[in-house]
Amino acid sequence: MRLIVENRFALFGLVALALLALFGVAFVIRPIDAELGVTEPGTVRPELATRVCPAPHESGDDGAESSVAAFAPRVSRDDEGALWAVPLPGVPEEDEEGAGDEQDDPESDEAADEEAADEEGTASGGEADERGELLGEEQTEPGRVWRTDTGDADVPTALHAEGSLASGLDAAQTTVSSDGVTEVRCTEPAIGTWFALPGAADPEDVDLDALTVHLANPETFRATVSVDIYTMEGPSYSPESRGIHLGPGESTRLDVTELIRSTSSIGVHVRTSTGRVSAALLAEHSAGHSDWVPPTRAPDERQIVPGVPGGEGTRRLIVAAPGDAPVEVRVHVVAATEETESDGEEAGEGDASGTAGDPLVLHVPPAASAWLTLESVLDGRPGTVVVEADAPVVAGVIAEDSEADDDDMRVVETAYAASVDPLQGPLDTTAVIPDMPEGADVEVVLGALEGDARVVATPIAADGSMGDSVRAEVAAGTTHVFGTDTEGWGAPAGIDPEDGHAVRLELLEDSGPVYIARILRAGGGVSVMPVRPAPVYVELPVVRNGMTGVVP
């Protein structure tokens, strides 16, 4: 102390040291600024994936053949993982007395789940382990087509993948009968799923006889589901469509036909307040046809619907607006042409009605739906529908194939198309068509809107062997169709045609975005499946310091 008092420089040094100590403590305990907590986004290969296929709408007893096919590409030589499938039983019936107590008892829930799994495995004779009864064989190697028969299934099928089999995975269920062909993409569980389709009362007889929502919970925790329906007059719901409880591994069906009796167009929103579910929609038409309605993109101000089939019959666009204000929607069609215009003008640049220069206009009331016809602008050609609105909407298309019956036109088949995300860089550059059934005519409809697109299609056999790749080039502002009867691909050589095969689509470098749908025609029937990106790598979100959760 005497040295400090006598030496003014020593006192100065002590003060400086104290100030440095204070600044050091303040720096360590400082509040983190948002910008200082930002990390650069990266990419990662998914290591877990789940897909659910609904129970087929026609059984083997009806003469129908149903199967589920899945494919995940091989990226490196060391790739390994597992892919397996299990059934999802229906919601167990509750006794009149004591049902509520059992529902709230976790131990009784667990015991009931184990008992149901044991009974299911014993009844079907399938192999069972801690994952339950396995359907088909477990696959441990990517780059091969996984397939199992679901012709006798009366409950949904859940596919689970881990390791490298979870990245780039896609799956679909195809049902072929004497009346035609239907297919449904196996969907991953989500907190919200949208559909757009006709209602049950239509002045031009484009209507439904029944509408059923198929719900499945493949997760290990409970889910609570509600179904919202947007009719032309506004929202429609019932007590049965609210607060539907699904336990882990449970499934159920909800008939919503009574909610759509007085409308000719609807938007359907399946949403959860807890958990996640996989949703599928089965539409049974008054003409006698049944079709799975593909999910459409979540509400957005711009929607693209590819793969509207060509041919004679009704082509109708359905748009639903979930917001609280009326919406003006502008619609134009990019129809496929056999050859480009002689003056070099791109499709959609003319002044005809239904083109980009003169779009059709549709007005949608608040929290409601509306529709318009597309027959005149498509003129029997396949095409891509562009929907632009001044508020978020959802969109879908119904196609009815007709033929002359005496003096009247008779509907012979129906199909649905839906809005879809494009293949585009840098990550969403690959997609999978899991199943190419034997004997079906296949068309792949490619719509390029923002720039020239180049896509390579490669057929892949069940054992992983590859056939000859086919390259398709689509000029900006056009729709191009290629398939098995034109410039398309053939099955890989040396395989059994009954085994079918998958097709992997890859967007070439420097290609513009492309919107894709696959059309199947077999036995007089037609089916449309929107082709969604199946990326091998997904982008991680930017992370900041804060209590923020990420929900897929």
Side-chain angles (χ1 to χ4, degrees):
M1 178 63 71
R2 179 179 177 182
L3 177 62
I4 294 176
V5 172
E6 294 180 351
N7 192 330
R8 55 182 180 179
F9 295 104
L11 181 61
F12 176 78
L14 185 61
V15 172
L17 183 62
L19 290 175
L20 287 174
L22 288 175
F23 276 112
V25 172
F27 181 80
V28 171
I29 66 173
R30 77 196 188 286
I32 301 296
D33 183 74
E35 291 301 316
L36 293 176
V38 174
T39 61
E40 293 295 328
T43 60
V44 66
R45 289 186 67 180
E47 294 185 353
L48 294 173
T50 302
R51 303 289 186 270
V52 177
C53 313
H57 68 287
E58 291 184 284
S59 67
D61 295 337
D62 301 325
E65 296 181 358
S66 299
S67 63
V68 172
F71 178 81
R74 175 179 291 278
V75 178
S76 66
R77 181 173 298 180
D78 298 331
D79 280 353
E80 60 181 14
L83 172 66
W84 69 94
V86 294
L88 294 180
V91 177
E93 296 183 1
E94 297 178 352
D95 296 332
E96 293 183 0
E97 297 181 0
D101 296 338
E102 291 184 3
Q103 183 177 2
D104 294 334
D105 185 0
E107 294 184 0
S108 63
D109 288 341
E110 184 177 354
D113 291 342
E114 292 178 356
E115 181 180 355
D118 292 341
E119 292 179 356
E120 188 75 24
T122 303
S124 63
E127 296 182 1
D129 56 17
E130 67 277 2
R131 297 169 295 185
E133 177 206 0
L134 298 186
L135 302 177
E137 297 182 0
E138 181 179 0
Q139 183 167 303
T140 58
E141 185 177 351
R144 298 171 177 264
V145 180
W146 179 91
R147 186 185 304 274
T148 189
D149 180 23
T150 55
D152 296 329
D154 56 2
V155 295
T157 299
L159 280 75
H160 297 276
E162 61 184 23
S164 61
L165 280 158
S167 61
L169 174 69
D170 212 339
Q173 179 173 262
T174 305
T175 301
V176 180
S177 65
S178 58
D179 297 331
V181 57
T182 59
E183 59 185 337
V184 56
R185 182 175 179 267
C186 306
T187 58
E188 56 189 314
I191 61 175
T193 307
W194 288 87
F195 305 86
L197 66 157
D202 188 90
E204 300 180 14
D205 296 329
V206 182
D207 53 15
L208 303 182
D209 186 56
L211 185 64
T212 307
V213 183
H214 292 238
L215 303 171
N217 176 19
E219 307 281 5
T220 58
F221 41 84
R222 290 183 176 272
T224 304
V225 193
S226 295
V227 179
D228 301 325
I229 297 179
Y230 297 87
T231 71
M232 296 188 69
E233 291 75 29
S236 176
Y237 57 89
S238 67
E240 290 76 18
S241 66
R242 288 287 188 267
I244 305 168
H245 297 283
L246 287 178
E250 291 182 352
S251 63
T252 190
R253 303 176 186 180
L254 176 66
D255 188 341
V256 295
T257 309
E258 294 302 320
L259 300 179
I260 63 171
R261 289 292 187 193
S262 59
T263 184
S264 56
S265 65
I266 57 173
V268 179
H269 185 203
V270 179
R271 58 182 175 85
T272 64
S273 53
T274 59
R276 303 187 303 172
V277 297
S278 295
L281 205 62
L282 182 64
E284 301 176 56
H285 292 260
S286 56
H289 310 289
S290 298
D291 299 277
W292 294 104
V293 183
T296 191
R297 288 182 69 243
D300 200 345
E301 295 181 0
R302 191 170 190 258
Q303 303 282 9
I304 310 296
V305 183
V308 179
E312 298 295 329
T314 300
R315 303 293 185 268
R316 177 175 295 183
L317 172 70
I318 298 98
V319 178
D324 296 328
V327 180
E328 180 180 281
V329 181
R330 296 163 298 282
V331 180
H332 73 270
V333 169
V334 181
T337 54
E338 295 184 358
E339 56 187 41
T340 56
E341 301 292 336
S342 58
D343 58 0
E345 193 174 284
E346 292 182 350
E349 291 186 352
D351 295 329
S353 178
T355 62
D358 184 19
L360 304 172
V361 177
L362 177 67
H363 295 279
V364 185
S369 60
W371 59 270
L372 59 81
T373 59
L374 302 174
E375 296 95 286
S376 60
V377 293
L378 284 168
D379 194 24
R381 299 168 294 172
T384 304
V385 181
V386 181
V387 178
E388 296 175 325
D390 52 16
V393 297
V394 295
V397 171
I398 179 175
E400 290 189 340
D401 278 359
S402 302
E403 65 180 20
D405 185 9
D406 295 332
D407 295 334
D408 298 327
M409 295 297 291
R410 181 174 63 92
V411 177
V412 295
E413 185 57 290
T414 55
Y416 287 92
S419 176
V420 69
D421 289 317
L423 261 64
Q424 61 182 350
L427 297 178
D428 293 338
T429 58
T430 59
V432 173
I433 302 177
D435 188 21
M436 304 290 283
E438 179 193 13
D441 293 329
V442 179
E443 297 175 348
V444 176
V445 182
L446 310 173
L449 304 179
E450 290 84 8
D452 296 342
R454 297 180 299 280
V455 179
V456 171
T458 305
I460 301 173
D463 62 0
S465 59
M466 297 185 182
D468 296 332
S469 298
V470 176
R471 175 171 171 168
E473 297 190 3
V474 190
T478 65
T479 293
H480 180 66
V481 180
F482 77 116
T484 54
D485 58 346
T486 56
E487 68 211 84
W489 58 87
I495 70 168
D496 186 348
E498 293 184 358
D499 293 339
H501 61 281
V503 171
R504 187 181 184 191
L505 302 172
E506 299 177 78
L507 195 68
L508 295 181
E509 191 175 356
D510 298 329
S511 172
V514 60
Y515 300 84
I516 307 176
R518 191 270 297 272
I519 301 176
L520 275 183
R521 298 182 186 273
V526 60
S527 177
V528 179
M529 185 178 72
V531 177
R532 305 175 186 275
V536 174
Y537 290 88
V538 297
E539 187 175 36
L540 294 173
V542 173
V543 179
R544 289 180 171 84
N545 288 282
M547 299 181 67
T548 302
V550 178
V551 179

